[in-house]
């Protein structure tokens, strides 16, 4: 037992050491930061004609299995005449090849004005630029708003064509079915750029979408369908309109892939029914507070939107248990399903094959 603890402690120390920089590396880091500050100052002077003050600098790091590795790029925070902004630039060599946020607000305002000319009821709009992509927590958010070309008030397409941009907007009282990428060509100069517009079901729905605008759901827009009835995704010469018709059972909304809510039936199981279908599962699974049966005669995904008010109070310990049928073994298997809480609803995605019995979802508290 003592040997096992000693080995575990030694392994922990090894992992911690692997994530720390050596003294030699620390000196290199300091050199890169100092050079990046000088590079950033010259970059701004060349681009805008003034010399800013440096207020802070953070070295880029790349996460790995055992910690993070230092890079040579640096996010340099600067200030000029009361305006704060950032420059991302390499510090390994002397150069003036960077990207900055000095004009980010001006560019954002130009994009918003462009969109408002076509859709007046814009509730919120954001623009994320991929000129710099960082996953290092201290600088990740700041790196989403950096641009390299100088914006002169008339070259918006040139500025946005330098790197792929993701423009996300929320609107109310708007019919997005008439949207076309051709009308937004000025914003889609880069082939990987996208414009995503959400038509909120209500002002309250629009408010709930806002925190999700900077998150990527990897084309799982259905997770926001409880708040938006239409989502328009535009790329160069390509427009996709997704409309979401929801079904409702009590306080629970649901969306069936294929937009046919009548193809699914959701019902709340009583305690006895829940106990019956949970009785075959491993004993470590407790009888849930609530469980739902999802039945549909078509293959595809079914999304449940359950009010947070109906969840257990201790959501940090909540588990969602699903049951599916193993046709080879002719028995049920149980699994833990993922979920995401977005605003007022818990969104559960469940896959239903038309070759298996009804999918059943349970919400329970994890055992202590």
């Amino acid at each position: 037992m003592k040997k096992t603890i000693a080995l575990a402690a030694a392994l922990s120390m090894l992992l911690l050491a692997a994530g720390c920089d050596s003294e030699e590396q620390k000196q290199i880091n300091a050199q890169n930061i100092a050079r990046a500050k000088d590079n950033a100052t010259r970059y701004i002077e060349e681009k805008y004609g003034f010399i800013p003050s440096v207020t802070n600098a953070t070295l880029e790091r790349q996460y790995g299995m055992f910690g993070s590795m230092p890079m040579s790029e640096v996010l340099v925070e600067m200030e000029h005449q009361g305006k704060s902004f950032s420059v991302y630039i390499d510090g390994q060599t002397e150069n003036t090849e960077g990207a900055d946020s000095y004009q980010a607000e001006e560019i954002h305002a130009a994009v918003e004005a462009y969109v408002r000319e076509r859709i007046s009821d814009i509730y919120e709009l954001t623009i994320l630029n991929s000129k710099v992509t960082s996953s290092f927590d201290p600088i990740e958010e700041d790196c989403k708003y950096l641009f390299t070309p100088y914006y002169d008030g008339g070259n918006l397409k040139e500025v946005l064509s330098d790197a792929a941009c993701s423009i996300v907007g929320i609107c109310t009282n708007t019919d997005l079915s008439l949207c076309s990428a051709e009308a937004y060509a000025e914003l889609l100069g880069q082939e990987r750029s996208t414009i995503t517009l959400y038509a909120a079901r209500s002002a309250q729905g629009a408010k709930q979408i806002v925190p999700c605008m900077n998150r990527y759901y990897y084309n799982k827009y259905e997770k926001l369908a409880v708040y938006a009835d239409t989502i328009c995704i535009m790329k160069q010469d390509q427009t996709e309109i997704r409309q979401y018709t929801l079904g409702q059972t009590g306080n629970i909304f649901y969306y069936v892939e294929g937009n046919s809510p009548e193809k699914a039936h959701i019902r709340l199981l009583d305690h006895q029914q829940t106990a019956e279908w949970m009785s075959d599962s491993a004993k470590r699974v407790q009888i849930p507070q609530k469980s739902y049966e999802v039945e549909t005669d078509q293959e595809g995904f079914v999304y449940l939107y359950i009010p947070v008010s109906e969840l257990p109070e201790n959501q940090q310990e909540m588990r969602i248990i699903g049951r599916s049928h193993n046709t080879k073994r002719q028995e049920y298997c149980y699994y833990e399903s993922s979920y995401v809480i977005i605003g007022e609803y818990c969104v559960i995605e469940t896959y239903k094959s038309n070759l298996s019995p009804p999918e059943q979802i349970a919400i329970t508290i994890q055992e202590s």
Side-chain angles (χ1 to χ4, degrees), residues 127-147:
I127 172 173
L128 309 178
N129 194 16
S130 67
K131 179 68 176 183
V132 175
T133 55
S134 174
S135 60
F136 186 43
D137 291 341
I139 66 173
E140 181 181 9
E141 192 64 25
D142 290 331
C143 287
K144 296 177 181 178
Y145 308 97
L146 304 175
F147 301 88

Side-chain angles (χ1 to χ4, degrees), residues 226-238:
V226 70
Y227 299 119
D229 57 26
T230 308
I231 299 176
C232 174
I233 306 103
M234 292 178 281
K235 301 178 182 180
Q236 278 189 345
D237 304 320
Q238 181 181 343

